[in-house]
Every structure is written in C-alpha cells, then in structure tokens.
Amino acid sequence: MGLLQPLKGDTGGQIMLAVLAVIAILVPILNLLVPEGSPLHVSTFTVTLLGKYLTYALLAVAVDLVWGYLGILSLGHGAFFALGGYAMGMYLMRQIGDRGVYGDPVLPDFMVFLDWQQLPWFWQGFDQFWYAALMILLVPGLLAFVFGWLAFRSRVTGVYLSIITQALTYALMLAFFRNEMGFGGNNGLTDFKELLGFDLQSDGTRIGLFIASVLALALGYWACRWIVTSKLGRVAVAVRDAESRVRFIGYRVDRVKLAIWTFSAALAGMAGALYVPQVGIINPGEFSPLNSIELVFWVAIGGRATLYGAVIGAVLVNYGKTVFTGAFPEAWLFVLGGLFVLVTVFLPTGIAGLLKTLKRRRAEPKTIQEASA
Amino acid sequence: MSSTSEPHPESEPVASSKQTPSSESGRGSNRDLLRSDRTFDFSGPKQVWQGFGQDFKELTRRDRQFDFMIQAKDLELDVSHGPILYLEGLNISFDGFKAIDELNLYVNAGELRCVIGPNGAGKTTMMDIITGKTRPDSGTAFFGQKIDLLKLSEPEIAEVGIGRKFQKPTVFEQHSVFENLELAMATDKRVFPTLFARLSGAQGDRIDEVIDIIGLQEHARFEAGTLSQGQKQWLEIGMLLIQDPHLLLVDEPVAGMTHQEMERTAELLTSLAGKHTVVVVEHDMDFVRSIAKRVTVLHQGSVLAEGSMDEVQDDPRVVEVYLGE
Ligand SMILES: Nc1ncnc2c1ncn2[C@@H]1O[C@H](COP(=O)(O)OP(=O)(O)OP(=O)(O)O)[C@@H](O)[C@H]1O
Ligand SMILES: [Mg+2]
C-alpha cells in the first residue's frame, strides 16, 4: 500500500510529477532571487502563464478520467471549470469591498451599476474563503451529480450524451450572459484586488498561486491514479469497453459512472478556481462550447487513458496556442483542427502512445541482448 | 406493517450467504446451496453506502431498516416445490412481431436443460427476459417461488444468483484473464466498497481455482483480447462460475470452438449441473446430444416439444420445423 502505490508502474506519471517538483522549486527561485536583467530570470508574466497551463492540465486530467477510463466523451467539462472559476470570482469580488469604483462596501460594482439594492441570496457567504472553497467543489459537483443522475439512469450514452453535455455548457453560457442572473453579465467578474489578503498583482502572490497550481495538479493526478488503479477503476474500464456486460455481472453502472463523473467535475471546478485569480477575469466566454471541445483535443493529442498524456497535451497545445496566437491569431483554430486530424490518423494513441512505443523499441534490443548473454 | 419479521441478522453478510465454503466443496452439499431458508441479504450493516444515488427521501426514512427486511425476505430463493425457474404466459412483441408467444417453461433445481430451436425462435430473447434486459409485455417470471424477476433490475438479478453467458462472447478485452474474473467475482459490488476493495488471499485462490477449471492457467496474465474465440467462451463461463450463481444461462457456448474444445466444454457444463442449474442454448446438435438429459424445443416464441433428446427427435413437429431442415 502506501502513498506511492497508485504511481507504481506509471513511468510517465512519475516523470511528470518529478518535472512538476523541479519547476515548483526552480521557477520561484528564478523569479524571485535571480535579478531581472539576467538571462536566467523568469518573468512574473511567464510564471502566471505556466500557472495557467497547469490549471488547464488539471482540467485535462479530469476529462481524461471520464473519457479515457469511463468512456464518457464529455463536451461540457468547460462548464464545471467555469463554475469553479465563478465561485472563486465571487469570493474575489467580495474581497474588493469598498475599493470598487462605486465604493459600496458590500455590493460589487456591476450590481451598483444595475441599481440593485442588496446582495442576492446566492452571493451570501462568499466573503468567507472557506465557504467559497466549499462551493468551488460543491457547485460543479452538484450540477454534475444531478445531470449524471438523470443521464446515466436513463442510459443516455455515446454521441447523445456528448451532445447534451454540449447543450449543458451552452445553456449555462447563455444564462450567464444575462445581467439578471447576477454574475456580471457578459463582462463577468474582474478587477480583483486580493486573495486571502494578498495583493493579486504582487510577485509573491503570483508565485503562491503558481505553487498552488502545481500542488493541485499533483494532488489531482494522484487522486485520479488512485481511482484508476483501484478495483473501481478496473470496473470503469470494463464499463468503457462493454457496458452491458458489467451490468450483468452485478455492478450498478449508473452509480459507477455517477461517482467518477461527479468527482471529475469537482476536480474541474478546482482547476477553474485556480485559473481565475491568475488570469484576473472570469466571464461567460469560459462556458463556450468551443472551449470544451478544445480541451478534448488536448487529451486526444496527449494520449487518452494515460492521465499524464492529458497533462502533456494540455501544456503543449496551450503553449502552441500562446506562440501562435501571438504570430497569426486567425490561424490558430485551423492549426488545432489540423493537428487533431493528424494525431487521430497517425498517432491514435497520442503523444503518450508515441513515447511508449519509443520506449519499447529502445527496451527490446536490450532484453534480447540480456537473454542471449 | 408486519411484526413477524425477525431483526436483521447482521452477522451473516452477503458473501458468506452466497459462498459458504461447504457449498463450494463437494457434490454432497448441493442442497445446502439451495436451502429454502437461505436469505439473500444485501442490506448489510453499511446502509449508508447503499444509499448512494438513491432517493434522499428513502435515505432519511425512519422505517428504512424495516423496509430492507421485507426486501431480503422477498428475495429468498425458495425451491421447495421443485422448479428454480418458472416462466408462465410470457409474451413480447417487437414492432408487432411476436418474438415470444405464450411461453411456459419450468426448470428444476440442479437440472441441465438444453434449449434448441431454429434461428429467431426466441431463445436469446427468453434469456433477455430472465436477466431483466428486456421486459415482457405480459406474463410472469419467477426465480424459485418467491423472487419475481420482472420486478428486479439487471444487477439485482445477478445478485440473487442468475448468471449469463452471452451468445457473442463479451469479455473485457483490455483486462487480463485474472482481472476479468476478479471483476465478476461475487463480492460487494456497490461503488464505495469497490473503490476500497483489496483482493484477499482467499479471493485470489478462488480466482486461481476457476482459472484451473476453465483451463486458462497459462493465460492468466494475458489481456483477454488476445484469447482465441474458444478461450473467450471459457473465460465467459469462468466469469459466470465465479459469481457462484444458482442458475447459469449459457447462450451458444461452443460457437467458434474446435472439436476438442467442444468436448471439454461439454465436460465442464455437465460437471456444473447438480450444484448449479444450467440452461444451455445451442445449435450444435452433436453437442446437445452429448450433454442433454432434457431438451426443450422453442419455435416461434413458444415451446414446441420437451423431453429427452430421443423423444424430441422423434416428434414429427420438431422434425418438420427444425431437425428436418
Ligand atoms: N430488441 C429487439 N428488437 C426487435 N426485434 C428483436 C429484438 N430482439 C429480438 N428480436 C427479434 O426476435 C426474434 C427472436 O430473436 P432471438 O434472438 O431471441 O432468436 P434466437 O432464438 O436467439 O435465434 P438465434 O438462434 O439466431 O440466436 C428475432 O426475429 C429477432 O429479430
Ligand atoms: Mg440467440
């Protein structure tokens, strides 16, 4: 048993976690201790960018858990990410206090602007961090639970399920665009000042958020590994490969799906909550159906059902996106689409699959030598 | 509600009631397995987990404990009157086509029954009804005297002791032979117990034992996807066996098998009868002749003839629809 048990045999994951540990130590040093002029200096901008990639990576891990191991192609995980982000955003809004443009001690600016007299009930409690932290997991988790309960019970699967997950995120996007909803309409929530009393603009806070993202990713990864290496994980893969067979040997497939699906949504919510203070804004665009589709690409490109592949995919694709959208912004979607087609045709197991094959190729001659020796 | 029910015997959890050591060893203990006073207890002490995904209302009801006792009582397998399976007046039609038409079938406990019939006779559909995959339009299906199969879901039916091998073998291709059996094993199959499950020594031994029975020792660690068709069939039978069901429904077990493999399968199935009740659907007449004591011929969704292989073969109606072709 032990804490390392879930990582046994997971070479890719071990390397990934080791790299995470290294950058968690190196990046703060290079940012805070190395002077700005030095070529080794890592700018705060880069730190935040890396932190953002890591939250995407956590989101991708959450998607891979349900897609890779349970066979549910969710095209709506962006919604859980955004909900976690909104929960964090609400806390950050309340932290602004009377430092807003209108100086209202309680009401966020957009509410004053809309001429609201008091805080809506669902904004209550968000001035407390513990409450917000709870909501970050609870709101996406609860939505996923209700959605999954309805969908899995009535045995909606495959493409139909994917479509309704798209519909879910689309519906939420439309709802959050409305001013009356009380989430800042199309401007969303922004102009954050502090998190737990720390100035969001300061280098120290940025580093803190970066390290929190590293920890969240490592923890989320470990938890997902723990699930997929458990017997429940083996049941999940069995559900993916032959769902009705699993039912006939006595498992309640709907509940297996519901449990893992809900967990995955809460994980996505956690990723969203770490994303928001780093990018400084959350708006309904995060619910865009396209976002959810894009993140499935990350997983596909990185390699489905490996978990660490999702991390690789998310980081690489988003790095590519940063580089590309700087140079030719219009071309990005075509590049991504092209990349996706190339990967599905030539690398159906993604980058992780490629790495595995390379490793095997390298290992094979060795074992032959050993055998003949 | 009733005051006759005894307080729930928590000391006898699921696994022990289904897999008592005595029922596993030796032919002599068949009756033990089929004892009418045996209850299938799936309430257990850990009711909280059972409530996962259930109605909140049900969770919070104060008479919940009592509610479960009724359920457990209902699910007692009672074969005191002989048959273990009663199908009466079953009907089902698909878009106006009557796949099952006033079907009556009784199978005795411990029997090995073969069901034959031309393509489309409704054999697989009959198994679908027994296992809860398809609901009939009318009729009744009882397991023992007391368990109404039409009221149970597929996993519940598996839980009361009906296992099924499908016509098309479906094993979990990405899992090893060992893991396939591990998943199928009769254990607590609720979500959280499964999440925290660790394979005990006894369970590992039981899996190895079944691997021996189905003759896949050398393939135990191989992915099931790499097995031959015949080996997959055996693995499926193994997955049935390890659930320790009372009733095994086996749909076309020898499809894709070599002659030798067929003989081994025949041996395997006959050795299971007695301790278990086995219903085999098969097209291969030689195979049926080699194992069958009692044969039921299905035609157009109802029973055309029933009896020993010889009796059935001599029946002119059977010759006409089936054997004569
Ligand atoms: N879900 C369904 N929807 C529509 N028709 C069905 C369905 N299930 C079975 N049928 C029809 O019912 C009839 C009986 O099918 P069934 O599979 O039970 O036959 P069978 O006796 O098992 O035949 P075989 O020997 O070919 O396996 C067939 O004509 C089949 O097409
Ligand atoms: Mg059939």
Side-chain angles (χ1 to χ4, degrees):
Chain A
M1 280 274 347
L3 282 178
L4 294 179
Q5 184 74 15
L7 300 174
K8 228 176 83 185
D10 178 26
T11 319
Q14 288 165 8
I15 296 174
M16 191 271 291
L17 289 174
V19 170
L20 275 187
V22 170
I23 65 165
I25 296 165
L26 223 54
V27 168
I29 294 176
L30 297 182
N31 173 254
L32 296 175
L33 300 182
V34 176
E36 221 157 290
S38 157
L40 283 177
H41 177 77
V42 173
S43 71
T44 304
F45 175 79
T46 309
V47 172
T48 299
L49 202 61
L50 284 174
K52 187 176 99 172
Y53 293 164
L54 294 179
T55 63
Y56 283 149
L58 180 57
L59 173 59
V61 168
V63 170
D64 195 24
L65 180 67
V66 291
W67 186 33
Y69 293 87
L70 200 52
I72 300 175
L73 174 55
S74 169
L75 296 179
H77 253 58
F80 305 127
F81 180 81
L83 284 173
Y86 265 98
M88 176 58 102
M90 286 161 82
Y91 164 75
L92 296 173
M93 286 307 265
R94 302 275 323 252
Q95 286 284 291
I96 297 172
D98 60 7
R99 288 167 294 179
V101 179
Y102 297 106
D104 190 294
V106 178
L107 294 189
D109 278 347
F110 76 90
M111 291 186 193
V112 182
F113 183 77
L114 289 173
D115 220 11
W116 289 10
Q117 299 307 315
Q118 54 179 359
L119 207 63
W121 62 267
F122 49 85
W123 275 78
Q124 305 290 342
F126 275 96
D127 50 333
Q128 302 292 323
F129 183 76
W130 66 266
Y131 180 81
L134 201 66
M135 289 300 133
I136 281 162
L137 301 175
L138 220 57
V139 172
L142 204 67
L143 176 71
F145 185 86
V146 173
F147 177 90
W149 192 72
L150 295 170
F152 304 147
R153 271 188 132 223
S154 31
R155 300 202 185 159
V156 183
T157 54
V159 181
Y160 299 101
L161 186 63
S162 300
I163 291 173
I164 55 173
T165 57
Q166 270 272 278
L168 173 77
T169 192
Y170 187 63
L172 282 168
M173 179 177 76
L174 295 185
F176 274 73
F177 262 126
R178 296 166 61 89
N179 280 328
E180 309 88 274
M181 275 288 282
F183 297 105
N186 56 356
N187 295 323
L189 311 176
T190 186
D191 290 332
F192 310 131
K193 303 263 186 296
E194 313 184 321
L195 171 66
L196 288 167
F198 296 105
D199 178 8
L200 276 175
Q201 304 310 321
S202 79
D203 290 355
T205 312
R206 292 301 173 120
I207 288 288
L209 283 167
F210 169 77
I211 291 176
S213 305
V214 171
L215 289 178
L217 176 58
L219 200 72
Y221 185 85
W222 181 87
C224 289
R225 274 299 299 181
W226 188 73
I227 292 174
V228 302
T229 54
S230 75
K231 187 175 176 189
L232 189 69
R234 291 192 282 284
V235 174
V237 170
V239 168
R240 179 192 76 189
D241 294 343
E243 178 169 337
S244 68
R245 190 73 183 85
V246 180
R247 218 171 267 130
F248 287 108
I249 55 177
Y251 293 94
R252 286 170 172 75
V253 169
D254 53 337
R255 291 187 195 177
V256 171
K257 285 184 175 176
L258 191 59
I260 297 178
W261 168 257
T262 304
F263 175 79
S264 165
L267 211 57
M270 185 160 96
L274 283 162
Y275 168 83
V276 167
Q278 302 192 70
V279 298
I281 183 167
I282 173 82
N283 63 32
E286 292 298 335
F287 285 107
S288 151
L290 223 82
N291 279 14
S292 294
I293 294 175
E294 219 179 299
L295 74 96
V296 166
F297 282 14
W298 308 342
V299 178
I301 289 168
R304 191 184 160 196
T306 57
L307 293 178
Y308 69 87
V311 175
I312 298 176
V315 173
L316 281 189
V317 174
N318 280 293
Y319 177 69
K321 186 176 183 173
T322 308
V323 172
F324 236 88
T325 44
F328 347 75
E330 310 82 19
W332 171 245
L333 271 183
F334 293 100
V335 172
L336 186 63
L339 203 62
F340 183 67
V341 172
L342 284 178
V343 167
T344 22
V345 174
F346 296 107
L347 268 184
T349 48
I351 296 170
L354 182 69
L355 293 178
K356 263 186 208 160
T357 334
L358 291 179
K359 198 180 137 203
R360 214 174 302 139
R361 287 236 181 100
R362 246 195 7 206
E364 256 161 24
K366 219 188 281 167
T367 46
I368 291 168
Q369 276 168 13
E370 275 164 20
S372 60
Chain B
M1 310 221 243
S2 124
S3 55
T4 54
S5 348
E6 296 290 320
H8 188 72
E10 296 205 336
S11 51
E12 231 192 80
V14 192
S16 73
S17 70
K18 287 181 97 178
Q19 298 185 288
T20 42
S22 66
S23 70
E24 263 167 36
S25 57
R27 293 281 114 76
S29 50
N30 300 341
R31 294 265 67 104
D32 180 28
L33 197 72
L34 302 169
R35 255 167 46 195
S36 60
D37 58 340
R38 166 158 298 164
T39 54
F40 292 94
D41 163 8
F42 24 101
S43 51
K46 288 169 256 161
Q47 292 174 12
V48 184
W49 295 135
Q50 171 125 26
F52 184 79
Q54 276 186 355
D55 281 340
F56 181 64
K57 218 165 144 196
E58 204 187 325
L59 252 178
T60 51
R61 265 171 57 175
R62 305 197 69 192
D63 58 347
R64 187 172 162 73
Q65 173 88 15
F66 179 70
D67 209 42
F68 266 127
M69 286 175 343
I70 297 240
Q71 235 184 45
K73 195 167 173 297
D74 279 351
L75 294 173
E76 178 182 309
L77 176 59
D78 178 0
V79 291
S80 54
H81 293 266
I84 191 171
L85 184 67
Y86 297 78
L87 304 179
E88 285 174 351
L90 287 177
N91 283 291
I92 186 165
S93 40
F94 298 114
D95 308 319
F97 170 76
K98 290 210 81 150
I100 295 285
D101 188 4
E102 282 298 318
L103 175 72
N104 295 307
L105 184 77
Y106 307 92
V107 180
N108 283 328
E111 192 182 343
L112 171 62
R113 173 73 62 93
C114 283
V115 177
I116 60 174
N119 288 106
K123 304 178 299 285
T124 300
T125 308
M126 179 186 80
M127 292 199 171
D128 286 346
I129 293 174
I130 299 170
T131 54
K133 190 178 180 202
T134 306
R135 297 290 179 203
D137 301 332
S138 63
T140 54
F142 272 80
F143 186 44
Q145 315 269 289
K146 295 207 179 124
I147 303 174
D148 184 351
L149 293 172
L150 302 184
K151 287 204 182 115
L152 301 181
S153 67
E154 290 138 299
E156 281 166 342
I157 291 173
E159 217 164 342
V160 297
I162 298 184
R164 174 175 188 182
K165 190 202 88 61
F166 285 82
Q167 185 163 351
K168 191 171 142 273
T170 27
V171 295
F172 305 123
E173 310 242 327
Q174 306 264 316
H175 286 312
S176 69
V177 167
F178 187 93
E179 286 169 338
N180 267 273
L181 293 169
E182 180 207 7
L183 293 185
M185 187 154 47
T187 49
D188 193 335
K189 286 179 173 157
R190 289 167 299 167
V191 171
F192 286 91
T194 307
L195 181 60
F196 294 103
R198 290 281 169 273
L199 201 66
S200 73
Q203 288 174 326
D205 292 347
R206 173 73 182 135
I207 295 176
D208 290 336
E209 193 184 316
V210 170
I211 289 178
D212 281 350
I213 296 176
I214 58 177
L216 292 178
Q217 296 90 330
E218 264 119 68
H219 302 84
R221 301 284 154 187
F222 288 9
E223 273 186 16
T226 64
L227 299 179
S228 75
Q229 202 66 7
Q231 289 167 330
K232 281 185 190 169
Q233 299 272 25
W234 285 335
L235 176 55
E236 272 245 17
I237 295 173
M239 287 166 75
L240 259 187
L241 275 182
I242 205 156
Q243 293 172 65
D244 234 344
H246 298 284
L247 174 63
L248 287 90
L249 304 174
V250 189
D251 203 349
E252 305 206 5
V254 297
M257 281 192 182
T258 64
H259 204 76
Q260 273 175 328
E261 287 176 329
M262 253 190 230
E263 273 170 22
R264 285 211 46 187
T265 311
E267 265 168 46
L268 181 57
L269 290 175
T270 17
S271 75
L272 295 177
K275 184 174 166 186
H276 308 268
T277 310
V278 185
V279 176
V280 180
V281 165
E282 190 43 74
H283 275 296
D284 192 292
M285 277 304 151
D286 292 333
F287 180 75
V288 172
R289 196 169 292 114
S290 70
I291 62 168
K293 297 201 178 60
R294 226 176 139 70
V295 178
T296 301
V297 184
L298 231 57
H299 179 52
Q300 292 180 348
S302 50
V303 174
L304 184 68
E306 201 169 286
S308 72
M309 189 67 190
D310 291 334
E311 283 166 23
V312 164
Q313 251 177 327
D314 293 341
D315 191 317
R317 289 168 306 170
V318 176
V319 174
E320 189 185 331
V321 304
Y322 192 69
L323 297 165
E325 60 180 43

